[in-house]
Amino acid sequence: MQDEIQLKLFFWIGSATMLFLALGIIFITVAYKAKVDRLNRIKSESLLIASLDSEKRERQRIASDLHDGLSGDISALKNYITILNSKEEDLFKKEILQEVSSVLSHALTNVQNISYNLMPPLLESYGLVSTLKSYFDRVKKLHTIKVKQYYFSEVIEIPSSEAYELYRIIQEFTNNMIKHGKAQEISMAISLNENTVCCEISDDGLPFDFKKNIQSSLGMGLKNISSRIKHIEAKLVQVPEQKGNKFQIILKSVKNVKNSNN
């Protein structure tokens, strides 16, 4: 009888030990996987930040080269053509020189637009609002589209890195709305609620589901938006609309945000 009790005791002790070891192995496995996932996430975030920072520096370099190099060369060449045209007496040659001058003017405008789109010069000097106003002025001229704008202040004091990413996000949305959504009107608004900045952009174009399209999209536009949203730790909300689209970029816990109108 005593031997039977001892056997049962050993059985339960052995079972408990095996169960404890199994739970321990499961716990270690789960903890290890969680650690690996966390390290991969940190690595992914670091690579994302490095990639976006590298892109910004490269944009600045190319924009500067275009503005200071190619743009200056075209302007100088256009001036030479103007001088030659003023001294030329042959009407046929004057017409040709005038055509060349017109082509150079068009090329200069294109170079300036490319340089501006790569890195808007107003962003560092005058801030986000002035840059957006200038950007939408160009959009209206290029695409004959109506743009409504509302800003709670002419000066929104947020870090330049966040202002840059917000500008790029809005630029990507605008390009998508015009190119794919065939929008005829775009509304842009930036509001402030305590220390939370909300950028809202809407249109009257073809509706699309951001989350659904980002999964199937082969282009980089929507993926760039998602990456930049993560980079500045913002939140993207698509507001349901009967017509068109409305998106909100919510930048929470913004430090030192001020309303200059107060």
Side-chain angles (χ1 to χ4, degrees):
M1 183 68 178
Q2 187 175 0
D3 291 340
E4 185 179 348
I5 294 174
Q6 287 180 345
L7 285 173
K8 288 183 178 180
L9 181 62
F10 285 141
F11 172 77
W12 286 113
I13 292 174
S15 299
T17 302
M18 292 296 292
L19 179 61
F20 177 78
L21 289 174
L23 291 174
I25 292 172
I26 293 173
F27 174 79
I28 292 172
T29 302
V30 171
Y32 177 75
K33 186 178 184 302
K35 183 177 180 180
V36 171
D37 290 342
R38 183 173 61 84
L39 291 175
N40 287 336
R41 186 170 62 253
I42 292 173
K43 183 179 179 181
S44 177
E45 291 173 353
S46 298
L47 289 173
L48 172 62
I49 292 172
S51 175
L52 291 175
D53 288 342
S54 176
E55 178 204 316
K56 184 179 179 181
R57 289 193 299 271
E58 191 65 11
R59 279 177 175 269
Q60 288 175 325
R61 184 188 67 79
I62 296 173
S64 178
D65 289 346
L66 287 174
H67 183 270
D68 299 334
L70 185 57
S71 180
D73 292 341
I74 294 175
S75 294
L77 184 57
K78 187 174 182 297
N79 290 334
Y80 291 143
I81 294 297
T82 301
I83 293 172
L84 288 174
N85 189 36
S86 65
K87 295 181 179 181
E88 183 60 56
E89 295 181 357
D90 187 295
L91 293 178
F92 178 71
K93 291 181 180 180
K94 286 180 73 70
E95 288 181 3
I96 293 176
L97 289 172
Q98 186 61 40
E99 278 294 321
V100 172
S101 179
S102 177
V103 170
L104 288 174
S105 294
H106 184 67
L108 182 60
T109 300
N110 285 338
V111 170
Q112 290 172 341
N113 286 333
I114 292 170
S115 176
Y116 183 93
N117 288 331
L118 283 169
M119 182 55 65
L122 292 175
L123 195 57
E124 293 290 338
S125 303
Y126 298 98
L128 181 61
V129 174
S130 294
T131 303
L132 287 175
K133 287 183 175 180
S134 176
Y135 168 68
F136 282 118
D137 282 344
R138 288 171 175 263
V139 168
K140 286 187 288 185
K141 291 177 182 178
L142 289 172
H143 301 283
T144 317
I145 190 172
K146 186 176 181 180
V147 180
K148 296 179 179 179
Q149 299 179 71
Y150 166 78
Y151 305 102
F152 72 86
S153 172
E154 289 297 312
V155 180
I156 301 176
E157 297 183 6
I158 60 177
S160 59
S161 59
E162 294 179 354
Y164 172 81
E165 298 300 343
L166 284 174
Y167 172 77
R168 289 298 172 202
I169 292 168
I170 293 167
Q171 186 183 48
E172 289 284 4
F173 267 125
T174 303
N175 291 338
N176 191 74
M177 289 171 170
I178 295 172
K179 183 178 179 180
H180 302 292
K182 311 299 181 184
Q184 297 299 312
E185 180 175 309
I186 292 176
S187 295
M188 178 70 227
I190 300 182
S191 57
L192 175 67
N193 181 15
E194 296 182 349
N195 284 337
T196 299
V197 170
C198 178
C199 301
E200 183 176 280
I201 182 167
S202 58
D203 73 334
D204 63 349
L206 300 174
F208 75 99
D209 187 310
F210 183 88
K211 291 183 179 179
K212 182 179 179 180
N213 277 268
I214 198 174
Q215 299 297 327
S216 59
S217 176
L218 298 177
M220 292 303 296
L222 298 184
K223 292 181 175 64
N224 281 338
I225 291 174
S226 181
S227 297
R228 295 183 190 283
I229 290 289
K230 291 178 182 177
H231 182 44
I232 59 176
E233 299 181 351
K235 181 181 180 182
L236 176 64
V237 178
Q238 181 168 9
V239 182
E241 291 283 287
Q242 291 184 350
K243 181 181 179 182
N245 306 276
K246 180 184 289 186
F247 298 94
Q248 294 178 340
I249 303 108
I250 302 170
L251 191 59
K252 296 183 178 180
S253 301
V254 180
K255 297 179 181 179
N256 300 323
V257 176
K258 298 179 181 178
N259 184 338
S260 66
N261 292 336
N262 290 338

